[in-house]
Amino acid sequence: MKSKQSEAAFNASLAARLQPEGASPGATSKMHMNDAPVGSSKSLDALLKDFDTVPFSSNASTANVTSTASVNESLAENGSSPIRRLPVQNLVDSPWQPRLKYDETAIQALGETLKARGQDEPIRVRPLANGKFELISGHRRTRAARLIGWAELNAIVSAVDDREAHKSTLLSNETSEGLSDFERALSYKALLDEGFAQTQQEVARLAGCTQGRISQCLSMLKLPRVIIDMLDTYPGLITYRHARVLQELLLKYPDGALAISTTLEMMIDKPEIEPGELKELIGKACERKRPKRQAAPTRIVEDKNGRSAFKVHSTANQIIINVVPGVDVDLSCKRTIAALRAFAETIEVPEDKKS
Amino acid sequence: MPRKPFKVQAVATLLGISVDAVRRDSEEAGLQIERQPGDGPKTRLFSIENIYDIAAFRAKKYNLVAKNKRIITVYAPKGGVGKTTQTSNLAAIFALMGLKVLVADLDFQANLTISYGYDPELTREEATENGFPLATCVDFHLGHLLPQWQGNSPTPKLSDVIKKPFGENGPHLIPSEVTLDRLEALFTVDAIMSKKPELAIARFLAEGRSGRNKDVDLSMYDVIMFDAPPAKNQTTRGALLASDFVIAPVSMEKYSTKSVSYLAGVLNEMEVEYGKFPELTILGNFFDMTRVRVAAQVIALTKQYPDAWLDTQISSSEEFKKVLSDDEGMPLALARPSSTAAKELRDVAKSLIKKMEIL
């Protein structure tokens, strides 16, 4: 018998018919659209207050002024010429350089500039006990020089102590060039932790930007460990605006950190995802994960005193073991593998159909 | 230049009040209204200046005070979407509502300046030769008021720069002419010297609105508008950074929709760098909701920018082109008060005033 289409089904089919016509001319689906800013803007007067009272740009930041002064002092002491030619192979990175990743294209471009224009400004270094020189500013130029095969660079050598070197490295102009929000956050945090600045306002003054910018970046460090770990490897993966979306999502889905990190992995290949899109993607992922979670709750393995030592959860084809800090991860891993081996001897994996 | 006079009905439409109110207020204000010459009925003939005088009189009478003074940039990176037409009309309508309006032309092609009846290419000699009033010439533009320009020529007073196309109470204009593009080169030099040229317009406005400098006093203006060229340059960035709102006209096709995305990108950069950025407002131009193409763009825009979409739009209309070719030195909203396009423009102006919390 031929059944009649119900009213609801007919309406649904109408919607389906309208969909390709209404929305498909490439408008909604394919074209990438940037989000508009969502935060609140400051007033015109507040803007000018920030920029007209605080040092103008990071060029004139107080840190550079003080460290140039100390350079001059040390020069006066040993009377050497202010600029020296140093072999590139004797330059070593600063341990306090906040940059985690060097963008190869940018280094190449910088190399081209060096070739075309020569070295405008000397790099800044301090002598080390082993006869090498530690960079204070010029990490990118040193890399570019190596790339284009230069043997030497002009450098200002100043014997500064660790503390001064640390501060100068964090605040050097070149350091902040193209730095990701996460890397900025790390460097701002270092300024606060090391006592170079007491408040965010002071950090802002040192770094030559607004206090809002400082707090935006620092808020990224409040993300869960698993996401911070990803950022250590891919510092430019997300901006603070993405981070803000993630924090909102974490309030909504308190155990969503894993789902978020899985979605973030997508951004390694697709860095142009906007915060709005990210929110949608993760929202979907979290909604999907939820019922599954309930089916397979986290199991906790306790130590002999009843404190939790391992947290285990499984998905369709994964077992994830979180090791509580203080438990030997290597040893736990070896024991787990041993237990799996013992189990594997008792089972047979079905043969691969293709082979 | 001689402009066509307005009859009382047109005046009532422009001011959004009754014919009786027009008669009463023009009398109360003590305005000298011309009468039709000849033997027939002596109909009142209002000049555009008269109309703005009535608007200003009513604003005073009803104690109209702007809740918020706003700086607005009309901008989209895409050309031909109606930026200049909208600026020219909206500024004229805001002033009809009794607001004090200043509008600055940032495009060296000076179309806004032309729309108000000036000829930026006319030299003083040519004007004298051909019997045009000298006020038709453009001597100065915004660049002349900024410190970057100093050294090229002495800084004029604001009153030397400003044009008043429709009288004291109409919109005031900082005009433009072809040398305005040199400002961009001066800004670029500043940028190379890391002097933050994008703050120049912000500084100019903040100083002007404070009223500290009597030569450049902007404190009287309720609305300051910029008509930005379809470029992504320092001048536009400067105007955007100084603005509370950016009105992005979209012409309801894919490229213009995409241009809003570019604009959003610029705004994001500003938020990151300065913590200050104008609020995005999208104005549908050449609107026709019955067309699928237009509907698709509306869906795309409202989905991405739900708060930015303005719920009043401007339809496609031949009237805009007619006004241009008739060359009356007036934007459509003034030249054709009873047209559909003018009505839509007034509705858009009203919803903008509401959204921007000006009144």
Side-chain angles (χ1 to χ4, degrees), chain A residues 55-252:
Chain A
F56 223 44
S57 67
S58 37
N59 286 351
S61 78
T62 37
N64 280 1
V65 175
T66 52
S67 50
T68 323
S70 55
V71 168
N72 292 339
E73 272 163 35
S74 65
L75 288 174
E77 276 162 26
N78 55 29
S80 61
S81 84
I83 297 176
R84 286 169 59 184
R85 301 278 296 166
L86 291 182
V88 171
Q89 76 261 24
N90 283 355
L91 303 174
V92 296
D93 283 0
S94 164
W96 301 295
Q97 161 69 249
R99 192 182 300 276
L100 302 170
K101 274 271 186 304
Y102 290 85
D103 178 356
E104 266 178 56
T105 350
I107 298 291
Q108 266 172 15
L110 188 57
E112 292 305 315
T113 319
L114 284 181
K115 256 199 256 178
R117 296 223 321 254
Q119 186 188 352
D120 283 349
E121 273 183 72
I123 58 170
R124 293 195 11 244
V125 298
R126 64 168 189 157
L128 293 179
N130 60 7
K132 301 224 169 196
F133 293 91
E134 187 181 276
L135 289 162
I136 292 172
S137 78
H139 287 79
R140 294 171 69 248
R141 275 172 290 171
T142 304
R143 279 168 174 71
R146 284 186 189 130
L147 195 72
I148 58 174
W150 279 11
E152 293 180 323
L153 279 173
N154 294 330
I156 295 178
V157 183
S158 45
V160 291
D161 61 13
D162 281 3
R163 204 171 151 74
E164 189 57 41
H166 191 167
K167 184 176 170 187
S168 300
T169 308
L170 287 173
L171 293 169
S172 108
N173 264 333
E174 203 203 42
T175 301
S176 59
E177 172 72 32
L179 216 55
S180 71
D181 287 354
F182 179 67
E183 290 164 323
R184 281 175 201 275
L186 292 179
S187 93
Y188 299 153
K189 184 168 182 295
L191 284 171
L192 288 166
D193 289 354
E194 295 298 320
F196 295 126
Q198 303 302 326
T199 61
Q200 291 192 5
Q201 192 60 49
E202 281 176 44
V203 177
R205 221 169 290 144
L206 288 174
C209 61
T210 62
Q211 198 237 314
R213 179 88 181 104
I214 306 286
S215 84
Q216 284 165 353
C217 288
L218 283 174
S219 71
M220 291 185 82
L221 299 178
K222 290 184 200 140
L223 288 168
R225 190 68 244 168
V226 47
I227 298 171
I228 297 285
D229 286 346
M230 284 182 80
L231 290 174
D232 280 333
T233 323
Y234 302 100
L237 189 63
I238 58 171
T239 66
Y240 88 89
R241 294 193 300 122
H242 292 93
R244 193 158 61 189
V245 165
L246 296 187
Q247 271 148 353
E248 279 168 24
L249 285 163
L250 281 164
L251 283 181
K252 199 169 162 199

Side-chain angles (χ1 to χ4, degrees), chain A residues 309-327:
Chain A
F310 303 100
K311 292 171 186 164
V312 184
H313 40 201
S314 54
T315 64
N317 55 2
Q318 269 185 316
I319 305 170
I320 297 152
I321 305 173
N322 281 316
V323 183
V324 170
V327 178

Side-chain angles (χ1 to χ4, degrees), chain B residues 8 12 17-26:
Chain B
V8 68
I17 56 179
S18 71
V19 168
D20 287 341
V22 173
R23 293 206 181 101
R24 188 194 59 219
D25 286 336
S26 57

Side-chain angles (χ1 to χ4, degrees), chain B residues 247-260:
Chain B
I247 301 175
V250 290
S251 60
M252 309 322 300
E253 42 84 29
K254 188 173 164 182
Y255 295 148
S256 118
T257 303
K258 182 71 180 173
S259 89
V260 179

Side-chain angles (χ1 to χ4, degrees), chain A residues 21-22 27-28 31-37 39 41-45 47-48 51-52 56 59 213 240-241 244, chain B residues 71 194-195 199 202-203 206 254 257-258 261 264-265 267-268 271-272 274-277 292 296 299-300 304-305:
Chain A
E21 271 202 40
T28 42
M31 193 161 77
H32 168 81
M33 298 283 284
N34 289 321
D35 284 345
S41 165
K42 64 172 74 151
S43 71
L44 183 59
D45 289 333
L47 166 79
L48 292 174
F51 279 89
D52 288 349
F56 223 44
N59 286 351
R213 179 88 181 104
Y240 88 89
R241 294 193 300 122
R244 193 158 61 189
Chain B
I71 302 169
S194 19
K195 279 201 201 151
L199 290 171
R203 288 200 183 100
K254 188 173 164 182
T257 303
K258 182 71 180 173
S261 167
L267 301 185
N268 279 320
E271 187 192 17
V272 169
Y274 296 102
K276 171 153 183 4
F277 55 92
V292 169
I299 291 168
Q304 190 74 19
Y305 312 107

